[in-house]
Amino acid sequence: MKPTLYLFLLIGFSLQSLHAQPKGFKALFNGNNLDGWWGLGTIDPSTWVNLPEEKLAKKRADSLVNINKHWRVENGELVNDGQGLFLTTVENFADFELLLDYKTVPLADSGIYLRGVPQVQIWDTTEAGGKWKHGSKKGSGGLWNNGKGAPGRDPLVHADKPFGEWNQFRVIMTGNIVTVWLNEKLVVDKAPLTKYWKRAKSLIDRGPIQLQTHGGEIRWKNIFIKPVTTKQSK
């Protein structure tokens, strides 16, 4: 194969892995570095979101030591080693539509925090993953922290692709109502997201997107978001 042809094919393959930015959306991940992100664990966002700017800036800066240890950018993809703080957007969001792709490995457990609240679940759905007793057999995409029997906790269908393949999420959140599609299949249909820490309390109006990871490597790409109105979410 001629070097020029090989280079053309290599560039073409790389471009195929990244989607064009959809109209009306903005990219949360620039494909090159971790600009626009910091680190948090599972913590009630109402405890920090209104901190004075100086204290909040220090909290963000301190978190980057951990983030840079466990997160990296590789071939235009966000990669986490299965440990550390969760990647968290500096920007906070109210009502939104979120698009992202992810690829995970056996035994990994993950999720997407909406306004800093857990979570749209991602996990190993095989029996070997060891979490069928927790509902993993039903698939990813459910609002797992809603509690047993709550609307949206379990996905409507199993839509996960096999390990090694990319999965695509589309999530719409307006107020506390969440709808989720996984690989173009509806898995959560207009279910309220329950506040994890104080279930009787309301969610905060604005908060970050968090990429939760533990137990194994997970990769992310094509992360886009746009604001929506209640009318647009229907």
Side-chain angles (χ1 to χ4, degrees):
M1 182 181 293
K2 294 181 179 180
T4 53
L5 178 58
Y6 175 78
L7 180 62
F8 174 80
L9 292 174
L10 181 62
I11 293 173
F13 177 79
S14 298
L15 291 177
Q16 288 176 4
S17 68
L18 297 174
H19 299 166
Q21 184 167 320
K23 184 177 180 181
F25 286 79
K26 70 181 233 178
L28 292 180
F29 169 49
N30 63 21
N32 298 309
N33 54 48
L34 300 178
D35 288 357
W37 299 84
W38 63 300
L40 278 174
T42 302
I43 180 173
D44 187 342
S46 66
T47 64
W48 61 263
V49 72
N50 293 316
L51 284 175
E53 186 57 39
E54 183 177 339
K55 289 186 176 181
L56 185 54
K58 184 179 186 305
K59 185 177 181 67
R60 287 173 176 160
D62 290 346
S63 75
L64 295 181
V65 175
N66 182 279
I67 287 295
N68 290 324
K69 181 179 179 181
H70 297 289
W71 291 83
R72 68 185 188 276
V73 177
E74 184 177 281
N75 299 323
E77 301 166 7
L78 281 172
V79 187
N80 174 264
D81 63 6
Q83 302 180 61
L85 295 175
F86 312 146
L87 207 61
T88 304
T89 56
V90 170
E91 187 173 353
N92 295 322
F93 302 94
D95 295 343
F96 58 82
E97 180 175 352
L98 174 69
L99 308 175
L100 62 77
D101 298 349
Y102 75 90
K103 182 169 62 174
T104 188
V105 298
L107 303 180
D109 192 334
S110 182
I112 306 164
Y113 286 22
L114 309 178
R115 294 197 210 127
V117 178
Q119 82 190 27
V120 177
Q121 180 70 23
I122 298 170
W123 49 11
D124 180 345
T125 67
T126 67
E127 186 174 10
K131 294 188 177 180
W132 275 14
K133 63 183 179 181
H134 299 303
S136 66
K137 184 179 182 179
K138 298 175 182 179
S140 298
L143 307 180
W144 193 79
N145 292 96
N146 272 10
K148 287 187 177 181
R153 174 186 167 95
D154 296 322
L156 299 173
V157 296
H158 187 293
D160 300 65
K161 290 184 178 180
F163 293 124
E165 296 186 28
W166 286 95
N167 295 267
Q168 299 82 38
F169 266 126
R170 178 187 177 209
V171 180
I172 294 179
M173 183 176 193
T174 55
N176 70 333
I177 302 301
V178 176
T179 301
V180 182
W181 292 264
L182 175 57
N183 298 321
E184 300 185 341
K185 295 180 180 179
L186 182 67
V187 292
V188 173
D189 188 10
K190 297 183 177 66
L193 178 64
T194 302
K195 187 173 182 181
Y196 174 71
W197 296 273
K198 298 176 182 178
R199 295 186 182 275
K201 298 287 186 178
S202 300
L203 302 180
I204 60 173
D205 294 334
R206 301 177 67 87
I209 303 300
Q210 287 181 260
L211 306 181
Q212 182 226 39
T213 58
H214 58 90
E217 181 185 278
I218 185 165
R219 293 173 176 257
W220 315 77
K221 64 179 182 179
N222 301 321
I223 309 174
F224 303 107
I225 199 167
K226 73 174 181 180
V228 299
T229 65
T230 302
K231 182 177 180 180
Q232 290 173 319
S233 69
K234 294 180 179 180

